[in-house]
């Protein structure tokens, strides 16, 4: 089970969205924050990415930028252009462009469940900028080109193709970042360590097994003590704490997306009874599985 893909699949809610936009300078566009990941791909001309925090970033044709848990940002033809176009309902639209050089870009993103997160995503920077470079990340460049063509077309099968391409785009961006991370620590180190990756894949593939530190150490080909120490340093929590985190995340997805009985969900994620599962879920999330399924607000989580 591929760790990166399974994390994204478990966190995501709803369908991804994407569009193509074109503006002539001067133009400025504001994007409100999204709990999830979003992206911009510059396909023609250039533009400036204006994060709420940090310095402006110039994006040339072919550049890709991805946001994690974005708190709002802007795009404009210049760092000094006002962000006239506000993406908020009920606000009047003022003129948003002039008659200068044209910029074209793709934008889109995914929503995550606000009640859950994952340390792999939390470890990402607020903005990932991948400048276009000849010969670098050819798969990413290929999917960007295909996505742009589909978004601008009205051919049969378009609605099925676009979500699949967005899945590919997201994975390629994350793969490129983890492969190029200059500081190999945390999850960047974990995904580049064969032993730790093997243990993570085992948990993701069979979350219902009665995992022990010894068993996970064997999956990693490491001693119990060495594995526990290395896993905790890279992943950010002990092995069995991560097992519980992953089980709860998968259980939440099943509760959101199906009407499977709680006994079935409990068994799938490694609990022998509905009572034991409900107790673990409430301890983790501050809310019972039934209330979570009904979309009720979480209670204050009990102290550990």
């Amino acid at each position: 089970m591929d760790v990166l893909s399974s994390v994204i699949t478990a966190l995501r809610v709803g369908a991804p969205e994407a569009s193509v936009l074109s503006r002539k300078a001067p133009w400025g566009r504001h994007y409100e924050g999204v709990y999830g990941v979003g992206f911009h791909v510059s396909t023609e001309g250039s533009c400036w990415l204006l994060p709420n925090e940090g310095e402006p970033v110039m994006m040339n044709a072919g550049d890709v930028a991805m946001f994690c848990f974005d708190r709002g940002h802007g795009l404009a033809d210049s760092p000094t252009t006002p962000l006239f176009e506000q993406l908020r309902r009920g606000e009047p639209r003022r003129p948003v462009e002039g008659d200068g050089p044209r910029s074209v870009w793709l934008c889109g993103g995914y929503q995550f469940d606000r009640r859950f997160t994952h340390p792999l995503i939390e470890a990402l920077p607020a903005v990932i900028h991948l400048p276009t470079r000849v010969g670098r990340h050819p798969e990413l460049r290929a999917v960007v080109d295909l996505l742009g063509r589909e978004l601008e077309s009205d051919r049969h099968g378009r609605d099925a193709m676009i979500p699949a391409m967005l899945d590919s785009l997201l994975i390629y961006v994350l793969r490129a970042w983890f492969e190029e991370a200059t500081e190999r620590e945390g999850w960047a180190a974990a995904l580049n360590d064969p032993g730790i990756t093997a243990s993570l894949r085992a948990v993701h593939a069979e979350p219902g097994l009665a995992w022990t530190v010894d068993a996970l150490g064997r999956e990693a080909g490491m001693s119990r003590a060495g594995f526990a120490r290395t896993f905790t340093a890279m992943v950010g929590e002990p092995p069995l704490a991560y097992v519980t985190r992953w089980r709860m995340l998968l259980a939440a997805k099943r509760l959101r997306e199906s009407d499977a009985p709680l006994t079935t969900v409990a068994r799938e994620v490694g609990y022998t009874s509905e009572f034991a599962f409900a107790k673990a879920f409430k301890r983790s999330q501050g809310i019972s599985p039934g209330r979570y399924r009904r979309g009720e607000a979480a209670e204050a989580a009990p102290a550990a």
Side-chain angles (χ1 to χ4, degrees), residues 244-281:
T244 299
R245 176 193 291 274
W246 184 242
R247 287 172 171 172
M248 295 300 100
L249 205 159
L250 292 182
K253 185 174 180 64
R254 279 287 269 155
L255 292 170
R256 288 195 310 268
E257 299 180 356
S258 79
D259 57 359
L262 292 185
T263 52
T264 300
V265 177
R267 185 172 58 252
E268 291 173 349
V269 296
Y271 291 87
T272 56
S273 72
E274 179 181 332
F275 175 78
F277 164 64
K279 184 177 179 180
F281 192 92

Side-chain angles (χ1 to χ4, degrees), residues 86-104:
Q86 301 289 326
L87 296 187
R88 298 189 182 99
R89 291 182 181 178
E91 291 193 356
R93 292 290 182 92
R94 290 185 279 172
V96 296
E97 63 177 321
D99 57 2
R102 187 171 77 144
S103 299
V104 181

